[in-house]
Amino acid sequence: MDPNLLYWRSQGQSFFSRLRIWCNLLDPSSLLASDAEIQKARSLLVSGEKPNEEVSSKLNSPHCSSVHADSGAVIPTVFRPPGTVAQMFFVCLFFLLQSYSAGFNYTNRNSSSEQGQKPSLKQALLVVGAVAYATCAGAVPQIVIHRLGISAVPLQVFFRSILPIPLSAALASFNMYTIRSEESENGIQVFDSKGNPVGISKAAGEKAVRDTALSRAALLGTTAAVPNLLFFFLTRLFQRNSLLATPVRHMSAAIVLGLMIPVSFSLFPQLGTIERENLEKELQDAAVDGHLFYHRGL
């Protein structure tokens, strides 16, 4: 019988026995074991010998979750149960962030050209597509690291600390542009200096979406940048106290996000202006003061 199955049988068949085993096997630290170490531990188990203390402490009995019970092949790191938990947790967090962003962007859009209309199927597909695409793209750095087994420090620094900064900013803009694309396509209401509506402008819609997308990029780009910079400058501290790294990174991200929300909302005026020369020809005559106004959205 395969050593994996023998291990499970030796540990008992009750629910609580299985629960205790899985709590042990899902320890993310077992992902640090290399394929060679896993194969060595497996060969020792097959021969009836006991792995030495160093190997046992590092592997933490991962032969049950790191080796396929039928083929005996070592399962790729990203698809081992501990890796699945870590990856799914990260993906779920990113999915929740992108879902909330999509809902916020849609709710706070300029809907002046949609009065009396029900949400279209196209808009629903845009929301679902934006969330799905942004979630997958946001998980790329982590997937690349685990999928390719990158161990070189410079590459890990690039994928963990550098790439997420422009990626977060780009995906925030993408989310905004996609969710509010109908404002650019259909236009939004513009007003004169007295507050009287003078028509629907696609140029104003494009400007409103562009400005808001830039503010959203600043929000999430800065939120991603500051914790990584802080981690870089405090590397020596975290090397001596490795347990501080994750809490400090998460707490600093939460603080920066909270501080950047009002800053990003204030980058552009809520009541935007568009110059006469940037308006459609049929609306230029209404801009007697040289410009018209519009509600930018949030």
Side-chain angles (χ1 to χ4, degrees):
M1 183 179 292
D2 185 88
N4 291 1
L5 303 180
L6 288 173
Y7 176 81
W8 281 102
R9 189 175 70 175
S10 67
Q11 296 299 315
Q13 291 296 313
S14 70
F15 168 77
F16 290 104
S17 296
R18 295 192 299 270
L19 179 63
R20 176 178 55 81
I21 294 172
W22 276 116
C23 289
N24 183 43
L25 295 179
L26 291 176
D27 181 0
S29 63
S30 65
L31 294 174
L32 300 176
S34 66
D35 290 1
E37 290 171 325
I38 293 172
Q39 290 286 20
K40 181 180 179 181
R42 177 180 171 80
S43 63
L44 290 174
L45 289 171
V46 171
S47 64
E49 299 180 36
K50 184 178 181 181
N52 60 47
E53 184 178 349
E54 180 181 356
V55 174
S56 295
S57 62
K58 189 170 185 179
L59 293 181
N60 197 18
S61 301
H63 55 277
C64 290
S65 60
S66 302
V67 178
H68 195 281
D70 295 323
S71 66
V74 177
I75 299 172
T77 304
V78 70
F79 293 121
R80 297 174 195 169
T84 302
V85 172
Q87 291 295 318
M88 289 301 296
F89 179 72
F90 177 82
V91 171
C92 285
L93 285 180
F94 210 84
F95 174 77
L96 290 175
L97 173 63
Q98 293 299 325
S99 298
Y100 180 82
S101 296
F104 186 90
N105 293 337
Y106 179 77
T107 303
N108 292 278
R109 73 194 186 285
N110 183 312
S111 58
S112 56
S113 64
E114 307 172 16
Q115 298 300 324
Q117 301 180 14
K118 295 182 178 180
S120 62
L121 176 61
K122 176 185 175 182
Q123 186 65 60
L125 293 175
L126 286 174
V127 172
V128 174
V131 172
Y133 180 85
T135 301
C136 294
V140 164
Q142 294 293 328
I143 293 175
V144 169
I145 290 175
H146 293 287
R147 183 72 172 175
L148 301 182
I150 295 175
S151 58
V153 175
L155 287 177
Q156 285 202 0
V157 170
F158 174 76
F159 282 105
R160 292 184 188 277
S161 302
I162 298 177
L163 182 59
I165 297 174
L167 184 61
S168 297
L171 291 178
S173 294
F174 168 79
N175 192 308
M176 171 62 65
Y177 269 114
T178 305
I179 300 301
R180 294 178 55 176
S181 60
E182 291 194 349
E183 294 177 38
S184 302
E185 297 174 2
N186 302 328
I188 60 176
Q189 186 76 60
V190 289
F191 307 87
D192 59 21
S193 57
K194 297 181 180 179
N196 300 315
V198 298
I200 299 294
S201 171
K202 292 182 180 181
E206 292 175 359
K207 188 172 185 293
V209 174
R210 181 175 62 253
D211 289 350
T212 309
L214 288 174
S215 70
R216 210 64 95 242
L219 170 63
L220 294 185
T222 304
T223 301
V226 172
N228 288 330
L229 290 174
L230 182 65
F231 189 85
F232 175 77
F233 287 116
L234 298 178
T235 300
R236 291 186 179 179
L237 173 64
F238 294 139
Q239 286 177 343
R240 293 194 300 267
N241 302 277
S242 58
L243 294 178
L244 291 176
T246 300
V248 169
R249 186 188 290 270
H250 291 168
M251 289 176 61
S252 60
I255 292 172
V256 173
L257 177 63
L259 294 175
M260 278 301 299
I261 288 176
V263 173
S264 64
F265 287 175
S266 304
L267 291 177
F268 298 96
Q270 204 62 27
L271 186 63
T273 60
I274 182 169
E275 301 300 323
R276 174 188 294 163
E277 57 269 20
N278 296 326
L279 286 163
E280 292 83 347
K281 290 184 178 180
E282 61 271 18
L283 295 174
Q284 290 182 357
D285 291 339
V288 294
D289 296 328
H291 55 264
L292 292 177
F293 299 90
Y294 61 88
H295 172 229
R296 179 174 63 86
L298 192 59

